[in-house]
Amino acid sequence: MNVQQPGPGEVSFRAGETRCSLGLGLYGWGEDPASAAGEVRLLRQALEIGYRVFDTAEMYAQGGSERVLGQALAQAQRAGLRREELFVVSKVLPQHASAAGVVAACERSLQRLGLDRIDLYLLHWRGATPLAQTIQGFEQLLQRDCIRQWGVSNFDLADMQELMAVPGGAACAANQVHYSPSARGVEWDLLPWQRQQGMAMMAYSPFDQGGLVNHPALQELARRHLATPAQIALAWVLRQPGVMAIPKAGRALHLQLNWAASKLVLNAQDLADLDRSFAAPRGKMALSMR
Ligand SMILES: NC(=O)c1ccc[n+]([C@@H]2O[C@H](COP(=O)([O-])OP(=O)(O)OC[C@H]3O[C@@H](n4cnc5c(N)ncnc54)[C@H](OP(=O)(O)O)[C@@H]3O)[C@@H](O)[C@H]2O)c1
């Protein structure tokens, strides 16, 4: 297989495609019908800035997030955006993770998104359903062309190894986990393992849900780069090969700042300074979950 090498700002998926390493997280979107029109407008702005990767889930606003994303994508496609440019990620809840449950949940998500196909469909976190059943569901969806790839979320290394041992499990395309300057546990074993497997890591909550955006340890670096602390945190996550970050941004300014941060380059001194404030793991740590 001829696998393309990732260029700057790109992440490779195992099937060979590359995608922009910065996406937009849509947790908290679509909760209030009165805000939906404004959210659709903001998503259109995100598309104009250049965002093409969108992360949603059946859980978010009980489908409301998928609905506003679907409306914005439909409008943008009517205005000429090509479907192939987009990379839409959604997730199935663990309580729907049986083979039939996964298929039914995906059908509902597709309906809300107004799409024929989801580009990456993830198990949101691990529940009681045996992984083999969930994989069966994903395989049916692949056969029916309802999804292009499947993956998981909140899986630590032991879960990944168990997944690899299940028939079909090796097809897993990505694992979405919490990764930020203050949550570096994955660097110990999970991230190196995923890199070795050529499996993309999606970093969620890169700002610790806003907790890092005024962090004093990021202020000095921000001054040095004429940037904001949030931009430093995001650039720090994005510098890692094989990692895609999906910050949530609910206003136009943040969409712009985060896009600009993906072009910000941290030097060795910056990284050493950050290591002093946010220490790298010195051993196995429990996977951080939000
Ligand atoms: N798989 C999972 O289990 C899981 C768990 C959590 C999250 N996620 C995904 O990851 C996405 C991101 O994570 P998150 O929403 O938890 O938190 P996050 O991205 O770490 O932080 C979002 C917060 O940061 C603020 N923000 C964004 N850009 C900023 C900037 N440039 N300057 C200052 N503040 C800024 C946002 O404010 P505004 O909204 O006002 O812009 C919001 O309050 C979610 O939306 C979701 O798609 C997945």
Side-chain angles (χ1 to χ4, degrees), residues 241-278:
V243 175
M244 170 186 275
I246 47 162
K248 179 229 167 201
R251 38 188 123 172
L253 176 64
H254 290 167
L255 288 172
Q256 293 277 8
L257 287 169
N258 296 347
W259 192 255
S262 67
K263 312 283 183 278
L264 208 158
V265 179
L266 301 176
N267 61 33
Q269 184 61 54
D270 299 330
L271 297 177
D273 290 348
L274 276 163
D275 280 346
R276 268 191 292 281
S277 306
F278 303 102

Side-chain angles (χ1 to χ4, degrees), residues 55-56 89-93 118 120-125 138 149-153 173-176 202:
D55 181 80
T56 184
V89 184
S90 193
K91 313 183 195 80
V92 57
L93 282 164
I118 289 169
L120 178 64
Y121 196 44
L122 307 177
L123 173 60
H124 208 147
W125 65 91
F138 285 145
Q149 312 175 78
W150 66 265
V152 293
S153 177
N175 183 19
Q176 186 178 119
M202 295 181 75

Side-chain angles (χ1 to χ4, degrees), residues 32-33 65-66 106 115 124 144 164 168 234 245 248 257 270 275:
D32 178 5
S65 169
E66 292 177 324
C106 184
L115 297 175
H124 208 147
R144 290 169 48 181
M164 293 303 112
L234 187 53
K248 179 229 167 201
L257 287 169
D270 299 330
D275 280 346

Side-chain angles (χ1 to χ4, degrees), residues 36-230:
E39 290 177 344
V40 169
R41 272 197 302 278
L42 201 53
L43 277 163
R44 294 291 307 276
Q45 278 180 269
L47 286 159
E48 274 161 30
I49 292 168
Y51 287 87
R52 293 292 180 270
V53 176
F54 297 94
D55 181 80
T56 184
E58 63 167 336
M59 184 185 91
Y60 301 166
Q62 296 175 331
S65 169
E66 292 177 324
R67 263 188 221 100
V68 290
L69 176 60
Q71 285 173 37
L73 296 183
Q75 285 184 12
Q77 286 182 91
R78 280 196 294 277
L81 180 77
R82 289 179 303 123
R83 172 65 182 91
E84 316 82 81
E85 290 181 45
L86 296 165
F87 193 73
V88 175
V89 184
S90 193
K91 313 183 195 80
V92 57
L93 282 164
Q95 55 265 41
H96 298 152
S98 67
V102 168
V103 172
C106 184
E107 283 169 351
R108 292 191 296 270
S109 286
L110 286 170
Q111 183 109 37
R112 288 188 289 261
L113 287 161
L115 297 175
D116 297 333
R117 203 174 307 115
I118 289 169
D119 298 293
L120 178 64
Y121 196 44
L122 307 177
L123 173 60
H124 208 147
W125 65 91
R126 201 174 168 180
T129 309
L131 293 171
Q133 289 187 28
T134 309
I135 294 172
Q136 271 175 32
F138 285 145
E139 286 176 345
Q140 286 175 33
L141 290 169
L142 283 168
Q143 274 161 20
R144 290 169 48 181
D145 215 13
C146 294
I147 61 171
R148 292 183 51 236
Q149 312 175 78
W150 66 265
V152 293
S153 177
N154 297 302
F155 271 43
D156 205 346
L157 183 59
D159 300 303
M160 292 308 301
Q161 285 168 336
E162 216 180 305
L163 181 69
M164 293 303 112
V166 176
C172 176
N175 183 19
Q176 186 178 119
V177 291
H178 180 206
Y179 182 43
S180 76
S182 70
R184 298 183 60 174
V186 298
E187 290 173 22
W188 182 254
D189 53 0
L190 185 63
L191 180 55
W193 181 87
Q194 287 197 211
R195 279 208 189 110
Q196 194 222 338
Q197 301 282 321
M199 188 188 295
M201 176 172 278
M202 295 181 75
Y204 75 66
S205 306
F207 305 136
D208 289 356
Q209 299 180 326
L212 284 175
V213 301
N214 290 312
H215 197 291
L218 299 169
Q219 302 270 12
E220 170 52 26
L221 269 92
R223 272 193 288 275
R224 223 183 270 168
H225 285 273
L226 300 176
T228 69

